[in-house]
Amino acid sequence: MQSDLKSKLESALEAYAVRSGHALQEVGAVLFDMDGVLYDSMPGHCRAWKQMCDENDIISESDEFYVYEGRTGASTIDILFRRQFGHGAIDDDVKRLYARKSELFRAEGPAPLMSGARKAVETVRAAGAIPVLVTGSGQTSILERLNIDYDDAFPIEHRVTAHDVKYGKPDPEPYLMGLVKAGVGKCKAVAVDNAPLGVESASRAGVFTIGVRTGPIPEGMLREAGADIEIFSMSECAVLLKELL
């Protein structure tokens, strides 16, 4: 491990012990976000959201959807409606608009795996820990690929998706549910997320949180959201996980 990365990790572990009231113990599970962590899919999501908005005369900017990443589709549509129309979206609008967004995303074709992500997941499995998916997405076109792309590392019983929670990220519920599915306490888990809302969710759940800056968000934003350590790639994440495990 590079000395600067090792130093950052040591400082992060000390700060985590202070904020959580306990040290990170033997890691039994690693909770992975999906878009922007396992798959380099966020550019396609952003294009799909922007086109759907344009088709429906909803004012938006493509990059704003990086900030919304981690929310359920219904929550994102509700934000757009409240901003532009002054009221939330009704169920029929949510279903219609999210179906169109999903159609546009599927038309993008398969999203590539995030560089370094397979190594990170393989590192977890080799250490005997449990990989768990914790995503705000309900996008079946990408969820159905997980078993193939990641060699059955994420069976259904070790997945938390938009369909499993009442409150999406930044609420801690998704990561708390991930801990339950893994059967470990918060002091024996690590979370990996690339979005401010996802990082906040994991941090509020009391989990040691690695923020991976794979999208066009400012340096330091993931730390501000609650990440215990902020890094710049999933390749770095694989190195960190090897050290932690």
Side-chain angles (χ1 to χ4, degrees):
M1 174 182 273
Q2 299 174 358
S3 59
D4 58 338
L5 191 58
K6 186 172 184 178
S7 177
K8 283 175 64 176
L9 178 58
E10 290 173 352
S11 296
L13 288 169
E14 291 174 3
Y16 171 73
V18 171
R19 82 167 175 89
S20 65
H22 56 253
L24 182 66
Q25 300 176 20
E26 181 179 352
V27 177
V30 178
L31 315 178
F32 289 96
D33 179 40
M34 184 171 70
D35 295 301
V37 170
L38 299 178
Y39 291 94
D40 190 9
S41 48
M42 279 309 298
H45 279 296
C46 290
R47 286 190 294 268
W49 276 114
K50 183 65 169 69
Q51 184 173 337
M52 182 278 289
C53 287
D54 290 347
E55 291 175 356
N56 290 275
D57 297 320
I58 299 172
I59 298 170
S60 68
E61 298 292 335
S62 182
D63 281 356
E64 75 176 280
F65 296 104
Y66 283 98
V67 180
Y68 300 153
E69 183 188 353
R71 291 189 182 276
T72 62
S75 177
T76 298
I77 292 168
D78 198 65
I79 287 173
L80 295 169
F81 266 58
R82 291 185 184 279
R83 183 178 68 193
Q84 184 159 338
F85 306 119
H87 59 79
I90 63 174
D91 287 346
D92 285 348
D93 286 330
V94 170
K95 291 176 182 177
R96 174 177 59 84
L97 295 175
Y98 192 67
R100 177 56 177 156
K101 180 266 170 181
S102 298
E103 179 183 25
L104 292 167
F105 179 73
R106 288 193 298 271
E108 290 273 336
L113 273 64
M114 185 65 73
S115 178
R118 276 185 62 94
K119 179 64 175 176
V121 174
E122 288 167 0
T123 298
V124 173
R125 299 181 84 183
I130 301 170
V132 178
L133 182 75
V134 182
T135 177
S137 176
Q139 196 84 51
T140 55
S141 59
I142 195 166
L143 286 166
E144 289 172 349
R145 293 175 48 200
L146 274 170
N147 282 339
I148 296 172
D149 292 337
Y150 285 94
D151 299 327
D152 297 317
F154 300 98
I156 297 297
E157 62 269 22
H158 289 157
R159 296 184 190 184
V160 180
T161 74
H163 305 299
D164 300 310
V165 297
K166 182 177 180 180
Y167 303 106
K169 303 173 185 180
D171 192 275
E173 183 190 10
Y175 278 102
L176 290 173
M177 186 173 290
L179 293 175
V180 171
K181 292 204 171 193
V184 302
K186 59 187 177 182
C187 60
K188 294 187 176 183
V190 172
V192 182
D193 210 301
N194 70 305
L197 296 177
V199 164
E200 182 180 346
S201 173
S203 180
R204 289 173 63 189
V207 180
F208 182 82
T209 305
I210 300 173
V212 189
R213 210 168 121 251
T214 58
I217 59 174
E219 184 174 354
M221 182 176 282
L222 298 181
R223 287 299 306 273
E224 291 175 5
D228 295 291
I229 186 170
E230 181 177 299
I231 57 176
F232 302 94
S233 71
M234 285 303 293
S235 295
E236 276 190 317
C237 184
V239 174
L240 276 183
L241 290 175
K242 185 175 183 180
E243 182 75 10
L244 288 167
L245 292 163

